[in-house]
Amino acid sequence: MNDMKILMVCLGNICRSPLAEGILRNKILLKATEVKSLRNVIIDSAGTGNWHEGEHPDKRAIQVAKMFGVDISRLIARQFSVNDFNEFDVIFAMDHDNYRNILLLARNPSDKNKVRLLLNADQPDSNRSVPDPYYGGEDGFINVYKLIETSCNAIVKELSKE
Ligand code: 4NP
């Protein structure tokens, strides 16, 4: 089977999308011994903005992930680029701004079809956003972690079917 490549995208690539990358990768690794289709999944993350390029995730994101047993400390931020449409099968946007900005770079209907809102993975057509936790406290990060985790559970379930 070909690799299934999934890209998680937020604004800065230091809070939400590295959490989504780490959470999904962790869940897939835990199930990959029993579910063969999960062994071919590749996950990455990016930001629509470039301000934090080259940085590790925000300390609060690293800390909250660690509380739940997920290590995202070594991830490095990068900006989303048009070439990501060539590389990835599915592109999950954390919020509506990210979604719009990714679609602005789409070159054709095939590119556009790859873009989804992450929370729709768990609640189809709900069109909810993962709130930006950057200017809040740790509570916001825990809330974001749980929202992302629910959708990652749904993604793993879906990928396990194939
Ligand atoms: P993220 O959070 O998009 O979840 O990585 C943010 C990180 C940085 C900024 C905004 C949101 N910022 O304005 O620098």
Side-chain angles (χ1 to χ4, degrees):
M1 199 189 106
N2 289 333
D3 288 341
M4 171 71 176
K5 299 180 82 174
I6 297 175
L7 184 66
M8 301 293 193
V9 180
C10 62
L11 176 60
N13 194 209
I14 54 167
C15 299
R16 293 165 292 177
S17 60
L19 278 171
E21 176 183 352
I23 292 168
L24 185 59
R25 181 177 293 123
N26 194 53
K27 288 182 181 296
I28 282 175
L29 280 174
L30 288 172
K31 276 193 82 177
T33 46
E34 46 175 300
V35 184
K36 219 172 165 187
S37 60
L38 294 179
R39 292 175 208 162
N40 303 305
V41 182
I42 289 169
I43 306 151
D44 193 10
S45 65
T48 56
N50 67 355
W51 312 284
H52 296 281
E53 211 152 36
E55 293 177 18
H56 291 298
D58 186 285
K59 282 192 174 62
R60 297 163 295 175
I62 293 174
Q63 186 56 34
V64 167
K66 195 176 168 190
M67 273 167 46
F68 289 95
V70 177
D71 181 9
I72 61 166
S73 65
R74 285 183 291 269
L75 300 182
I76 292 177
R78 71 170 180 89
Q79 188 173 25
F80 179 84
S81 83
V82 170
N83 188 51
D84 287 316
F85 288 115
N86 303 331
E87 291 293 320
F88 293 91
D89 301 295
V90 185
I91 297 167
F92 283 113
M94 298 299 124
D95 67 28
H96 285 86
D97 282 345
N98 314 146
Y99 183 83
R100 253 191 314 273
N101 286 321
I102 298 164
L103 282 185
L104 283 173
L105 295 172
R107 302 156 297 187
N108 52 48
S110 160
D111 286 356
K112 286 185 182 163
N113 276 336
K114 295 181 175 187
V115 190
R116 325 238 169 101
L117 275 172
L118 178 71
L119 296 187
N120 280 359
D122 178 58
Q123 296 181 313
D125 303 320
S126 65
N127 297 332
R128 292 172 65 211
S129 287
V130 179
D132 182 347
Y134 189 65
Y135 294 104
E138 189 176 305
D139 279 5
F141 279 81
I142 293 173
N143 177 46
V144 158
Y145 188 99
K146 290 182 174 167
L147 282 171
I148 291 173
E149 182 174 43
T150 307
S151 276
C152 288
N153 285 334
I155 294 167
V156 171
K157 200 169 168 188
E158 189 61 33
L159 292 172
S160 302
K161 286 182 190 162
E162 284 158 23

